[in-house]
Amino acid sequence: MDKFFNANSVAVIGVSANDKKIGHTIFKNLLEGDYQGKVYPINPTIRKVLGQQVYPKITNIIEPIDLAIIAIPAKSVLNVIDECNEKKIKHIIIISSGFKEVGNKELENNLKEKLKQYGMKAIGPNCLGTFDAYTNLDTLFLPLEKMQRPKKGVISFISQSGALGAAMLDKASYMGFGFSKFISYGNGTILDETDYLQYLAKDRNTKVICIYLEGLTNGKRFLTVAKEITKKKPIIIIKGGITKEGSKATLSHTGSMAGEEHVYETAFKQTGIIQVKSLEELFLIAKMFEKAKIPKGKNVQIITNGGGYGILCTDAIIKNNLKLAKIKKTTYKKLQKLLPNITTIGNPIDLVGDADPKRYEQAITIVSKDKNIDILLLITLFQTPSLNNKIVDVIKKTYKTKTVVVVATGGKETQELKLQLEKNKIPCFDYPEQAVNALQKLTNYFL
Amino acid sequence: MDKFFNANSVAVIGVSANDKKIGHTIFKNLLEGDYQGKVYPINPTIRKVLGQQVYPKITNIIEPIDLAIIAIPAKSVLNVIDECNEKKIKHIIIISSGFKEVGNKELENNLKEKLKQYGMKAIGPNCLGTFDAYTNLDTLFLPLEKMQRPKKGVISFISQSGALGAAMLDKASYMGFGFSKFISYGNGTILDETDYLQYLAKDRNTKVICIYLEGLTNGKRFLTVAKEITKKKPIIIIKGGITKEGSKATLSHTGSMAGEEHVYETAFKQTGIIQVKSLEELFLIAKMFEKAKIPKGKNVQIITNGGGYGILCTDAIIKNNLKLAKIKKTTYKKLQKLLPNITTIGNPIDLVGDADPKRYEQAITIVSKDKNIDILLLITLFQTPSLNNKIVDVIKKTYKTKTVVVVATGGKETQELKLQLEKNKIPCFDYPEQAVNALQKLTNYFL
């Protein structure tokens, strides 16, 4: 399947001179983006596009083609597949819609048969395309100015829905997430979610696999494969169509039956899949797995400069079945010696409102050596006059010994400081409950 | 209580020449901010601060003083209260900490007795101060560059925790929320949460009351008062210390006992209070109440340009006990005539990936006239080439006839378009589940 992400040459079948058309956008992104391979535009009715010679048919190209992207009306797709076969292309991305999702089951079946007959691997039809942050092979039909592409990283995302995938990718890029591969697979005629899962399991750049799923082509196969993969890499799934009504809506979307909620829930749980309840949760948990150091245990120590946040974190830790760390007596004594009287030493450690980076450093340095603590949950409310961006260096040092997670709510300054922390692989969260929920998923997976 | 927010003259007792000190910041904010009243600095040891003459004692001021803000060490507070009494000041904000929250129960009791004896109204001690977005009377001790102040609006926020309040206010300002009043009341010695609640109930500018609460001074009184208020204005509460462990932590924070989770839950429910599970939820529900038109019923129609989002919204609507609207036959026929074949007419109405503002307008115009629909849940994924900011004008028009809520996930462009929509009082949400949860709270309150 590697040629979908690492092709040396790509043909875009259905290039248009009209820059509003899908075929135009795909060709433009490949031509003007950072993709290093050769790109060929195909269209029998135009001669030039973006200064490049257009080929009438794929068979007119002399050089070998690794990957064909098809963006033409559904009714013409089968003929083009024949031509691709003539050209000995084995990897095809079919962007075109108008198959089983609009009731054209026969056309879809014919497509399937043809692809099988030719031994072709195909993504789609009715999909958005793919993206690889390492090779920059970008077959998404969305313009760069409308959808930001993510930087290199460890998250890969498989999405049955194109628009949903695009929205998530745009937002994730905006938030600074790093990606390996993105796959929108639409109707999944030949290659389905399990195939992609197997591929990503072997992908060295992928550390976390996220999936938006409506239905399963072969549930048993998916679960068997997933069960093996979750032993090595976390799989996070959001399932669309968990209600009867939602499931009905999946039929006209990707033409799949979504099935019953509790059946999926139980099955996912048994295979070690992390099923999330919302798109937001998917983001936050992916971030935690992307950035956080693997925890050695479930004992969390809270250090805060705001009492209320300490309390909300405490509540969340208990509600999420994590443990409030109990610091050693020696730790307690050391802290008592250094910290001013107004602070509270316990769990939470409340450094109170006038805590500066130095006070954080004193507390963190001592606490980092305490083996009763596995995870440090740091609350750094940046609104106070004494806290400033020196806290970034203080926190960076701790990251080597413990799993560190930061909570901070606020405006511009807070966002900037969190960005700095996240560049240093320290996952930051806006709210206590988000951070602790993601921590729970992290510890449950590793411990 | 009005003088806390609408004083003609304010004295800051404990002004400092050191710009890192609380007294300095409060004075500076009042002097240099948009507050229109007179401000007097008090400190016996310095003569000038920020070019202003400093008075040694409050009794040295000849003009009348409406409000005194005390920011001096706890041990000297009682003496200063005597002087305030001499000056006939009845409204005092005590920022100073070092009372019952650190075990000084006697000092707290003495303070309480004195305030009672003099018939004074006092906020604090151990609090962050107050803010009024209409008068700009800003007694918060946080510098403007560290904590943004919100614009005028309809949300008021009572917070037992100062730092939590500050973080929330900073974030809310950053997100463009409009506020009326903010009150951080700390230990709540004389005036407690119920007093503030009663005051905000009468405040014309306040439409939504948000509260961060650790314990209740007088539970029965609070609930009796709240029950009356919720008939007129929604009260949204986040309760800190809902677990035994969290409750323990409240003792060293504001010195209050947080009490048992289910007792509070039941009581809040009975009084019509909306209790939220996370700080984020507090924000999102406050926004919904701040911006949304009051719904006439629970029938929600989804219109989307992304199938996956339509499905997730459908699931969320069912899970939240809202209703999927069933459009009239005439509506169906009109839509069928206008919309292209690739769209799906039902609930969701899927306008598919190439929907432009005009297609949205066609659908929205027809659907707006259908009385089977109370709420329009619009999904506008801006990543597609065909969607642009003309959609803002299309959505603005609908807002007059139905309750409209928008869901859009994405990067920079999405954020900007949502900002424009929110300026037009259309609440926007990042994710389907957030929008529907907030909708459920809105309909439950009004219907």
Side-chain angles (χ1 to χ4, degrees), chain B residues 299-300 325-328 369-374 402:
Chain B
N299 295 293
V300 188
K326 281 180 189 153
I327 54 170
K328 291 181 177 174
K369 290 171 191 150
D370 191 322
K371 287 195 175 156
N372 287 357
I373 298 167
D374 305 304
K402 306 274 183 200

Side-chain angles (χ1 to χ4, degrees), chain A residues 146 241 261 280 319 387, chain B residues 146 241 261 280 315 319 387:
Chain A
K146 293 288 278 183
E261 182 179 6
E280 185 185 30
K319 288 251 163 197
L387 211 55
Chain B
K146 292 288 279 185
E261 182 178 5
E280 184 185 30
D315 282 338
K319 288 251 163 198
L387 210 55

